[in-house]
Amino acid sequence: MPHTPSLLITIVGFILLLGPLVVIHELGHYWVGRWCGVKAEAFSVGFGRELFGRTDRRGTRWKLSAIPLGGYVQFAGDMDPTSRPDDAKFAHLTPAERAETFNAAPLWQRTLIVAAGPFTNLLFAVLIFAAFNLAFGKIVSPPVVGHFAEQAPAREAGIRVGDRIVAIDGTRVEQFPDIVALVVPYPGRTVSVAIDRGGRQLILSVPLLAHVERDKFGNESRIGRLGISPAQARIAPLGPGEAVTLAGRQTWSIMRMLVVGVQQIVTGERSVKELGGPIKTAKYSGEQLSLGWLSFVSFAAFISINLAFINLLPIPALDGGHLAFYAAEAIRRRPLGARSQNWAFRTGLAFVLALMLFVTLNDLVSLLPMGRG
C-alpha cells in the first residue's frame, strides 16, 4: 500500500519549497533592477492582501501576502505586478523620478531585469546539482550493453550484449547515462539506434517500451525504455569546474525534457492528465521531504527549473511574454501600442488563470481513487 506523508509534512514541505524558490526568482529581478538604477516599490511573496511587511530606506515595501502561490517585484512606473506601464502616474513624475522607473530604462536593461528571474532559478538549480556532483561524483559508464531486462525491445530489434551505442536519433552518446535523456521522454516511439559491433557500424530501428513506473507513494510516470543496462559502471570524483559543467548539462537536459513534454501534450502524444499544479506540487514536496533532505533539495532543484521554464513561456503576464514584447520592440524599433499591450496582458492573465484552474482540478481528480486508474 502506498505510503502517504502526514498533512503537516506536506504543508511544511510545500512552504519550504515554494517560499525560497519564489524569493530567489524575485530577488533576481530585484537585484538586476537595482543594478540598472530602477526603483522597486514593492517586493511581495504571495499575491493579494498584505499580511505584514515593512518599508526599507530605499522606499521598497517588503511584504508577505495572503495567496501563497508566487510573488512579484513591482517597479516604479508600473500599474500592477504584470509591469504594465502606469501612464497616468508617469506623467506627473519629476525628471529624477522618471529616471528611476522601469519603463524609462533602455530596452537592454528591461530585458536583463525580466530575464533575471527565471535565470536565477536556473542558476540555483545548477548550484544544487554542482554541490551534489562535488560531494558524490558522477557515474562513469561506457554506453556498452551489458544486460537485457525481461522486456527488452532493444534485444528484439537485434541489439546484442557487447554492442556499443554511439547515437540515438542522430544525437551522439558518450556515456550510458546520456541514453536516459534520449529515451525516457519518448514512450512508445520508434527511435534510430546507431551501434558499433566489433568495429562494424549498424543502425537499427527500436520501438521503445512504454513503461509505467510507480514509486513508493503510488505516483505513476510513463517513460520510454530500451530494456538495457550497462556492462560496467563506477563513480568518479569531480573537481569544482567539472562539477559545475556537469550541473549545467544536467539542468539543460531537464529543460529539454520539459520542452519535449509540452510538445507531446500539445500534439496529443501525452495526456493532459500528466500536467500538475500547486496541489500535486505540494503532495510531491511532502513526499520528498519525508525521504530526507537530499531528496527534498534535489526536488527543489527540479521545481526551480520548472519555474524558470514556465516563466520563459511567451505568454503575456509571464516573464517570457515581456521578453517577446521586447523582441518585437527591438525589431520594430518602437514598443507596441498601449492598447495592444493592454489587450495582450489581459488575454495572457486570463489564460494563466484558466490554466491554473485546470491544473488544480486535474490535481484534485488525480488524487481521487478513481483518478488513479
Side-chain angles (χ1 to χ4, degrees):
M1 187 173 180
H3 170 70
T4 303
S6 68
L7 179 60
L8 178 61
I9 292 292
T10 299
I11 293 173
V12 170
F14 189 55
I15 292 173
L16 291 177
L17 176 79
L18 194 62
L21 293 184
V22 168
V23 171
I24 287 166
H25 178 96
E26 299 304 333
L27 280 175
H29 293 309
Y30 173 79
W31 283 112
V32 175
R34 272 190 59 180
W35 177 73
C36 292
V38 177
K39 179 183 177 181
E41 294 185 339
F43 185 110
S44 177
V45 178
F47 297 100
R49 184 173 60 87
E50 178 183 328
L51 299 179
F52 60 85
R54 70 175 185 86
T55 303
D56 66 17
R57 59 187 177 83
R58 294 184 178 85
T60 302
R61 182 69 178 176
W62 298 79
K63 57 186 180 179
L64 181 67
S65 299
I67 305 173
L69 295 177
Y72 61 89
V73 178
Q74 186 168 349
F75 291 107
D78 291 347
M79 180 184 298
D80 54 34
T82 66
S83 291
R84 288 186 297 163
D86 190 342
D87 295 328
K89 184 178 179 180
F90 190 84
H92 296 88
L93 297 177
T94 66
E97 290 172 331
R98 289 185 187 184
E100 292 184 323
T101 63
F102 179 82
N103 297 288
L107 179 61
W108 69 270
Q109 289 187 349
R110 283 179 279 140
T111 301
L112 285 181
I113 293 169
V114 170
F119 279 97
T120 302
N121 279 126
L122 292 176
L123 177 61
F124 179 68
V126 168
L127 292 175
I128 290 176
F129 290 148
F132 277 32
N133 295 335
L134 198 60
F136 303 113
K138 72 171 184 177
I139 298 174
V140 176
S141 177
V144 176
V145 179
H147 310 279
F148 289 111
E150 185 176 341
Q151 290 181 286
R155 178 178 54 204
E156 295 171 7
I159 293 176
R160 302 174 186 172
V161 170
D163 286 347
R164 184 183 187 92
I165 296 176
V166 296
I168 296 178
D169 278 345
T171 301
R172 188 160 185 82
V173 173
E174 301 289 346
Q175 293 285 328
F176 201 92
D178 297 341
I179 297 172
V180 175
L182 301 173
V183 168
V184 165
Y186 306 106
R189 182 178 293 187
T190 297
V191 297
S192 174
V193 181
I195 62 172
D196 183 303
R197 179 178 295 165
R200 190 160 59 104
Q201 303 293 315
L202 298 171
I203 297 178
L204 301 172
S205 293
V206 184
L208 298 177
L209 177 68
H211 176 72
V212 177
E213 197 169 69
R214 294 177 179 83
D215 63 17
K216 64 179 293 185
F217 302 104
N219 300 312
E220 296 182 352
S221 55
R222 186 169 168 266
I223 63 174
R225 275 189 173 175
L226 284 169
I228 60 175
S229 55
Q232 56 180 330
R234 63 183 177 87
I235 301 296
L238 296 176
E242 293 174 306
V244 172
T245 301
L246 178 58
R249 291 202 300 267
Q250 291 167 327
T251 300
W252 172 248
S253 179
I254 293 173
M255 281 286 283
R256 181 179 174 277
M257 285 195 285
L258 291 173
V259 171
V260 169
V262 170
Q263 290 175 339
Q264 290 175 334
I265 288 172
V266 171
T267 59
E269 197 172 340
R270 283 185 180 270
S271 170
V272 293
K273 293 180 181 179
E274 295 188 37
L275 287 173
I279 294 176
K280 193 172 287 186
T281 302
K283 175 180 180 291
Y284 290 158
S285 62
E287 292 168 352
Q288 295 303 310
L289 184 59
S290 72
L291 294 176
W293 285 107
L294 289 179
S295 293
F296 182 75
V297 172
S298 179
F299 179 68
F302 175 73
I303 294 300
S304 191
I305 297 170
N306 270 263
L307 286 176
F309 172 74
I310 291 169
N311 274 282
L312 286 172
L313 293 175
I315 300 171
L318 297 179
D319 293 335
H322 291 282
L323 295 175
F325 282 136
Y326 299 155
E329 183 176 340
I331 294 170
R332 299 172 76 244
R333 299 192 179 278
R334 66 181 188 277
L336 295 175
R339 183 177 178 182
S340 298
Q341 290 194 48
N342 201 17
W343 178 86
F345 280 123
R346 289 176 184 274
T347 304
L349 186 59
F351 177 80
V352 170
L353 292 175
L355 181 62
M356 181 68 72
L357 177 62
F358 174 78
V359 295
T360 300
L361 292 173
N362 207 20
D363 288 353
L364 291 172
V365 170
S366 71
L367 294 177
L368 296 173
M370 74 174 78
R372 298 185 180 184

